[in-house]
Structure formats: C-alpha cells, structure tokens
Amino acid sequence: MANNIYDPSGLTIQTNGFMYGHAGYASTNGFAANAYVYGMQNIANILWFDANFPLGTSKFKPFVKLQGGSESNAGSAVIGKIDSSVFGVQAGVNLTPRFSLTAGYDGIPLHTDRVTLPAGYTCPAGATAGAGVIAVNSQLTTASLPYFLPNGGTGNCSMNANGTANLYDGGWASPYTDSYGIDPLFTTPTTVGMVDRRSPGNAVTARITYTNPTKQFTSYVSRTYFDYSTPAYVQSTYETDIDALYYFKPISTGPYRGLLFHYAMRFRRRAGLLPTMAYRN
C-alpha cells in the first residue's frame, strides 16, 4: 500500500476476488492476436490486447508486435483513482543466422488532477531531496489522498498559487507483477520498468542477441531509456543489460534442457533532480 492510502485499522484491506477472460486467434502463417479482460474487485478493471505480425518468410524473419491496454479503478477503489492507458510496438529481424536485433517502444500518458491536499499531506518545493513528491506526516494524517501515484522518485506534485496541488499520475497499476519486473511491456528490463515505478512516461529499448549453432549458448546486450519527466521536474533513467546463458547439453525438443548457467550484469543510471548510478551483477 502506498503511504497516501490511509487505513485506520492498520490491517490488510480485503477484496472479493479476481475475474479473468481471454480470447485468442492464431493463423498458420504466424499471425496471432489476443484480447484479455481482468477484473480485480475494488481495485481496477483492465482491457488488454497484443498481436504478432510476421513480415514475410525470408531468412531474416522480420516481425512487428503490438500491445496496449486501458485501466480504471473499480468499486471502492481501495488503492485510489486509477486512470491509465499504454501502447507499445516492437520490431525485430535476424541480421544473420546467429545474430538478431529487436527494438521496442512503450508509452503511458501523463494525467494531471488539481486537488486540495488533506491534512497531513504536503508537496515540498525547492531543489532538495523529496521536492515535487507528495510527503505524508503519519501523525497528522486522518484521511487518504485517494490517487494511484508514481513512486521511485518520479515527480508527482506541484503547488499552485491558490494553495491547491497538481497531482501527476496515470501509471499502470498491476497488483500481481508490482515490484517484480515481470510485466509484459516490451521495454521492461530485468530491474525496474514503468509498471514497477507506477509511473507515466515513455521508454525505448534495443537488444542484439547471439545464439550459437547448437543453441546451447546465448548472449545479448540491451539498452533501455526511460523518460519519467513531469511538470514537477525532469528525470530520465538508462539501463544497460549484458547477459550470457549456457545450457550444459544441446537444446532438444523435450522438456528437459539441462543445467543452465546464467551470468548477468546490470548498469543503471538515473538523471534529473538527484542523479545516481548503480551497478549489479
């Protein structure tokens, strides 16, 4: 739960369940399309689609994929107002029998709401840490600020001369992938993407992959750029991923593919109000 959602009991908020529906189509030439509906009781309703378009049968195997969806809060909206949409496109091609290249884009539009902040909530100004991000004084808070707001440092507020606040939201709420980096966006790397940041923004990514003749060894390098800028302040994030995967037996058609060794390096840099850099392997 975000700290702007007030729960006087301090207990887990219960909801009544989950609804899911899926319809799909696949043709013999590789075209495939899917439509999904998700209903998370008292949280959000989601409509989602994706499609894959092979572009001919040449040895380069070019393709284009599309994805998109719309999401809004449902019922009692226990995590606040949700109003989000996303659209993405991905294209790929085999440069040689061993090397392939893919590139993708996802966009989540920014929304702005003008509100009067409840007691206990402030929007700090200036150039200090925390500026442009809703702050909560737990000793004074007696009510929720019922909005699904970005986290991770995205600027989510600014003050007006009349004392009202602008809230910058529009992020995608995904209770079952939040904080795990496993959402289906084309641009989500292995650490943190737009869904985990609960943030609107734009992202582009590119990856080059090498696979050896026996398919035992695969290595890829990818670079992803995120733009999380809002009227509160400008912020961008860059991530470079380097991965190497090795199976200890040739890949076959059976379910067992042998012991896997996977080595990964992650280079991440955040630019904006508070630039930081982190390395992980």
Side-chain angles (χ1 to χ4, degrees):
M1 285 298 244
N3 61 0
N4 58 288
I5 303 300
Y6 175 68
D7 178 17
S9 69
L11 302 176
T12 299
I13 296 177
Q14 301 294 322
T15 59
N16 295 324
F18 181 93
M19 177 188 73
Y20 166 81
H22 169 221
Y25 170 81
S27 68
T28 56
N29 65 3
F31 170 77
N34 297 280
Y36 304 85
V37 58
Y38 300 85
M40 295 162 283
Q41 299 295 314
N42 293 325
I43 300 176
N45 293 323
I46 295 174
L47 296 175
W48 182 266
F49 81 91
D50 58 58
N52 177 43
F53 301 87
L55 303 178
T57 58
S58 73
K59 63 180 181 179
F60 299 106
K61 297 181 179 179
F63 69 86
V64 172
K65 294 182 179 180
L66 301 176
Q67 62 181 196
S70 176
E71 181 181 29
S72 60
N73 52 278
S76 60
V78 296
I79 63 172
K81 177 188 174 183
I82 300 169
D83 183 8
S84 186
S85 60
V86 60
F87 175 78
V89 59
Q90 184 186 67
V93 63
N94 286 351
L95 302 174
T96 72
R98 302 288 166 251
F99 287 92
S100 63
L101 175 67
T102 59
Y105 165 83
D106 283 296
I108 301 178
L110 171 73
H111 293 273
T112 304
D113 294 89
R114 180 172 291 189
V115 303
T116 298
L117 295 177
Y121 297 90
T122 58
C123 179
T128 59
V133 177
I134 287 292
V136 183
N137 187 327
S138 59
Q139 296 179 338
L140 299 177
T141 301
T142 58
S144 291
L145 180 61
Y147 286 83
F148 187 74
L149 297 175
N151 62 17
T154 297
N156 60 28
C157 68
S158 64
M159 296 301 298
N160 299 307
N162 63 0
T164 61
N166 297 312
L167 298 183
Y168 306 117
D169 60 313
W172 191 269
S174 180
Y176 297 95
T177 71
D178 191 277
S179 303
Y180 289 98
I182 56 173
D183 63 80
L185 294 190
F186 295 138
T187 55
T188 296
T190 54
T191 55
V192 179
M194 288 190 290
V195 172
D196 296 311
R197 285 277 293 258
R198 308 176 181 181
S199 178
N202 296 279
V204 293
T205 188
R207 171 187 287 190
I208 188 166
T209 303
Y210 168 80
T211 305
N212 80 327
T214 65
K215 298 183 180 180
Q216 287 179 262
F217 176 76
T218 299
S219 180
Y220 56 84
V221 179
S222 62
R223 172 81 169 192
T224 306
Y225 166 79
F226 298 95
D227 179 8
Y228 293 115
S229 300
T230 70
Y233 55 79
V234 174
Q235 187 186 106
S236 59
T237 297
Y238 309 82
E239 178 167 323
T240 301
D241 297 341
I242 303 173
D243 289 72
L245 297 87
Y246 179 76
Y247 288 95
F248 285 82
K249 59 172 289 189
I251 301 299
S252 64
T253 57
Y256 178 66
R257 299 197 169 194
L259 182 66
L260 168 67
F261 175 79
H262 184 177
Y263 182 78
M265 300 179 66
R266 310 287 180 243
F267 303 89
R268 189 172 181 86
R269 182 180 187 275
R270 185 178 71 182
L273 183 66
L274 295 173
T276 61
M277 185 174 289
Y279 301 92
R280 300 196 328 175
N281 60 42

